Amino acid sequence: MKIKRILLASLSLLSFCGVVSAADAGKDLYTKTCGVCHAAGIAGAPRYGNAADWQPRIAAGTARLYASALKGTPKGMPQKGGNLAASDADVKAAVDYMLASVKTAAAPAKPAATATPVAAAAAAAPAAPPAASVAAPVTNPSANTSGVSAADINSFNRLLKPIGKRNPPPAEDGIHDPTNDGTLALMAPLAAYGPLPKSLAGNRINWVKAIEENKINPRWDRNDPAATPVVIDLNIVREVKGSMPDVVYPHKQHTEWLDCSNCHPAIFTPQKGANAISMAAILLGEKCGVCHGKVAFPVSECRLCHSKKKEVRPAQAAAAAAK
Ligand code: HEC
Ligand code: HEC
Ligand code: HEC
Ligand code: HEC
């Protein structure tokens, strides 16, 4: 699926911006993982460079801060920021990096115990986050929803029309330049997809299964062949009003392909229930529809999302019995 490949290629642009170097491990991890929430204060995360946010926490001691970052907190700080592949040392370095952003502002000379009110007030003004790209990923797929004409290859197939010719060769797909020699060097999808597990929707490949069965091993980073995705196994159940089964949103299957910053915070605030999602929005190409129906399985596959049978809640059961 060419569109998907282009998506993945642009995703790798996101990740190769931060090339890992030992000296900058803290800054690097911050940019890659922590900044998603700590740059703008998502879900109440203390903001980078904002002394007022950090002061009460610093007072509790660095040991607690390290422990919170490593193990997570019940108030929304995920274990290692959700990046379980990060080493303990790098996570601590990322904490140090955030603390340095407020310490330099509050106490330039020494970590003085008595910061003057003036200095504290000055420090309370939020500093610019170090990497604007963290908060506003350039390659965010939501960009596709603006200014895209209906004829565009990435436009949302709202009427769920069956697509005419599926998986055409690169020179005929409307995406690649047919006059470029490189286009001819690409493998034709129909040949490449041969051994992959099939599905009945979209381009007829079950991409989730293809990864699970190790049939494909998408490269995460354009420059670094050893780079691996940050996969988190966290299901979010969204109760659906009416008779449709509830929706289970699985982080695992998404984070195998997608960096957190593709969804957080631009499409979804990372907090269970904080986002108003409706089928109408999805069909307009928003929320889940930013990808589903374009680069991921189409909206016609109701059961893949509406996968959880409704629990009979005690109140409902009682009401039914009373009838
Ligand atoms: C998905 C959002 C999110 C990500 C990603 C994230 N944090 Fe947090 N973090 C939070 C929230 C929310 C809080 C406030 C939670 C609380 O008060 O317990 C927090 C609090 C903290 C605290 C203060 C804890 C305390 O005990 O006061 C530290 C330190 C911290 N985060 C470090 C990190 C580091 C290091 C990373 C990256 C490796 C990271 N965070 C990534 C959401 C996030
Ligand atoms: C494909 C989109 C997508 C990607 C990629 C994604 N998330 Fe999420 N995330 C969601 C959705 C949807 C929710 C649920 C929001 C809701 O219920 O309103 C969510 C919720 C969360 C929550 C809140 C959990 C809770 O119980 O409140 C956290 C924390 C979180 N995500 C962290 C991450 C991290 C860390 C990554 C990267 C490793 C990531 N997410 C990648 C879509 C995504
Ligand atoms: C940023 C793009 C993006 C967004 C936004 C997104 N998804 Fe996905 N989703 C994908 C990709 C890519 C896959 C894996 C490829 C595929 O299955 O087509 C996937 C797979 C899934 C799967 C796994 C299906 C299986 O076979 O196991 C479910 C379920 C799912 N998405 C539900 C949702 C729901 C619900 C939302 C909204 C809350 C959502 N997705 C938002 C891109 C996205
Ligand atoms: C990509 C995932 C996805 C697919 C595919 C999907 N839905 Fe949904 N659906 C959702 C989400 C997310 C919600 C919002 C749940 C909530 O209220 O939090 C929803 C809500 C609904 C609702 C409740 C009313 C509303 O608009 O919120 C109905 C009814 C519904 N879907 C029907 C369908 C039908 C029928 C199909 C198949 C043609 C379908 N859905 C396919 C994700 C999906």
Side-chain angles (χ1 to χ4, degrees):
M1 191 199 217
K2 242 70 51 50
I3 307 173
K4 185 183 306 265
R5 222 180 276 154
I6 286 174
L7 175 67
L8 290 176
S10 44
L11 292 180
S12 54
L13 283 176
L14 275 180
S15 20
F16 89 75
C17 296
V19 177
V20 185
S21 89
D24 273 342
K27 182 178 177 188
D28 198 62
L29 183 62
Y30 171 83
T31 310
K32 202 169 140 196
T33 303
C34 324
V36 174
C37 298
H38 285 273
I42 301 290
R47 284 163 293 178
Y48 180 90
N50 187 313
D53 283 6
W54 282 100
Q55 220 55 62
R57 299 175 189 270
I58 291 172
T62 318
R64 187 196 81 192
L65 299 185
Y66 285 156
S68 300
L70 290 170
K71 293 184 208 134
T73 74
K75 281 194 190 153
M77 169 63 205
Q79 184 182 4
K80 293 187 172 181
N83 185 349
L84 297 183
S87 70
D88 288 8
D90 285 358
V91 171
K92 288 182 182 173
V95 174
D96 293 342
Y97 177 71
M98 285 197 272
L99 292 180
S101 78
V102 290
K103 270 184 191 149
T104 44
K110 268 181 207 166
T114 52
T116 68
V118 180
S133 62
V134 172
V138 198
T139 48
N140 194 302
S142 66
N144 289 346
T145 52
S146 60
V148 177
S149 88
D152 190 284
I153 191 83
N154 271 344
S155 70
F156 188 65
N157 183 1
R158 192 180 308 169
L159 301 176
L160 311 175
K161 270 194 291 203
I163 33 178
K165 193 178 173 196
R166 210 174 293 126
N167 305 329
E172 296 167 25
D173 64 7
I175 301 172
H176 295 87
D177 175 4
T179 63
N180 187 311
D181 289 348
T183 302
L184 298 174
L186 294 171
M187 194 173 181
L190 279 183
Y193 294 171
L196 299 183
K198 302 286 180 285
S199 84
L200 291 173
N203 66 355
R204 302 298 195 264
I205 304 299
N206 185 332
W207 293 100
V208 169
K209 223 169 157 193
I211 285 201
E212 269 168 17
E213 295 178 352
N214 282 322
K215 294 271 166 58
I216 53 170
N217 185 11
R219 187 149 155 173
W220 188 253
D221 186 304
R222 217 156 49 157
N223 286 351
D224 177 6
T228 48
V230 176
V231 176
I232 61 170
D233 193 353
L234 169 67
N235 284 350
I236 309 265
V237 177
R238 304 268 318 196
E239 283 174 21
V240 176
K241 290 181 221 88
S243 56
M244 282 297 283
D246 289 341
V247 171
V248 179
Y249 165 80
H251 269 94
K252 182 167 178 288
Q253 283 86 326
H254 288 91
T255 49
E256 276 165 352
W257 299 97
L258 299 162
D259 196 85
C260 319
S261 60
N262 281 284
C263 290
H264 299 312
I267 308 179
F268 301 110
T269 301
Q271 194 186 332
K272 184 170 160 33
N275 304 268
I277 311 176
S278 71
M279 219 44 227
I282 295 173
L283 285 165
L284 286 170
E286 292 161 15
K287 311 291 173 182
C288 319
V290 169
C291 303
H292 288 279
K294 295 178 196 153
V295 295
F297 69 79
V299 185
S300 52
E301 299 308 289
C302 318
R303 278 179 312 113
L304 285 181
C305 293
H306 292 272
S307 60
K308 187 169 184 277
K309 252 179 76 184
K310 283 217 159 59
E311 286 162 30
V312 179
R313 294 172 198 106
Q316 286 171 350
K323 276 195 190 146

